[in-house]
Amino acid sequence: MGLLIQIERIKAPGLILDLEESPETFPVLREMEEAGECCFPSPVKVHLRAFRLQEMVEVEGQVETIARFPCSRCLNEFDLKVEEGFAVAFTRQLPEVQDEEEEGAELTAEDMGLILFQGDEIDLTDAIQEQVVMALPVRPLCRPECKGLCSQCGADLNLGDCGCDRGDFNIKFSVLKDFKVKKKK
């Protein structure tokens, strides 16, 4: 069945599904692995409930997986459990919206928070991979107190002090430490 929901299977109380897919099923996650940004050593698990609301299908649930990252400070790999709740709405056609303030302005499906679909099935692949990507940290850290690497010798400071004299000087301005300004006479 994969990540497809057949519309006729959604009855009045809703359709509850537990899905498990390989990360390779999701193009964006596969690209992230190929680029070396992170990898996904476990499948993507999705627990969801889908229900119909007139011509729309509302899908809400929870997505979870494990992402393996290099730490932004010390470069050691670590696993991060990714869990994210979501709610998305699908529709075959956009509802009529009257906007008295802006005549002639057209709203897109994205503006309304809707995802358009055609036919008798809804493909959840894009919606699920978007939830996983949005839950990933921008600067992944193995732990909040990670000390990182020594700016002088590259030693992992989490394992102990390397003995280098790093002083209190900020590395961002190290190129300016010998900068001299010549005065005009």
Side-chain angles (χ1 to χ4, degrees):
M1 180 175 154
L3 294 167
L4 297 176
I5 296 178
Q6 282 128 8
I7 303 301
E8 74 266 357
R9 289 188 59 207
I10 305 172
K11 305 298 179 201
L15 174 66
I16 295 175
L17 293 173
D18 286 307
L19 307 170
E20 189 171 302
E21 290 291 327
S22 166
E24 287 78 37
T25 304
F26 304 94
V28 173
L29 303 185
R30 191 173 55 242
E31 285 174 20
M32 291 176 77
E33 284 188 335
E34 290 169 359
E37 294 174 34
C38 67
C39 67
F40 299 92
S42 69
V44 176
K45 298 176 184 177
V46 182
H47 174 76
L48 63 85
R49 178 174 172 253
F51 51 95
R52 291 169 80 165
L53 212 72
Q54 295 171 349
E55 291 300 311
M56 292 196 313
V57 175
E58 183 89 22
V59 179
E60 57 186 33
Q62 181 86 9
V63 62
E64 69 177 62
T65 189
I66 301 290
R68 183 169 293 148
F69 292 97
C71 177
S72 294
R73 291 183 187 157
C74 68
L75 303 179
N76 291 319
E77 284 194 344
F78 70 100
D79 289 349
L80 176 70
K81 185 172 186 176
V82 177
E83 292 181 291
E84 190 71 23
F86 66 92
V88 290
F90 295 86
T91 185
R92 284 192 177 100
Q93 60 187 17
L94 294 178
E96 294 287 324
V97 177
Q98 293 290 333
D99 188 0
E100 285 119 28
E101 292 179 17
E102 290 186 42
E103 298 246 346
E106 287 189 33
L107 295 174
T108 66
E110 191 173 307
D111 293 336
M112 293 185 208
L114 300 171
I115 301 170
L116 292 173
F117 76 95
Q118 296 176 347
D120 297 326
E121 293 180 326
I122 293 176
D123 186 354
L124 296 172
T125 304
D126 289 341
I128 299 299
Q129 77 181 355
E130 181 178 305
Q131 299 305 313
V132 172
V133 170
M134 288 188 332
L136 298 176
V138 175
R139 279 195 64 194
L141 296 176
C142 60
R143 58 186 188 275
E145 65 278 357
C146 177
K147 296 178 182 175
L149 302 175
C150 172
S151 59
Q152 303 293 316
C153 69
D156 186 347
L157 298 174
N158 296 307
L159 302 175
D161 191 26
C162 60
C164 291
D165 180 24
R166 291 182 300 281
D168 291 335
F169 199 75
N170 190 332
I171 185 124
K172 294 177 189 172
F173 298 105
S174 63
V175 295
L176 300 175
K177 72 179 183 186
D178 295 324
F179 181 72
K180 304 249 190 288
V181 178
K182 294 181 183 178
K183 295 182 181 179
K184 291 184 181 179
K185 295 187 179 186

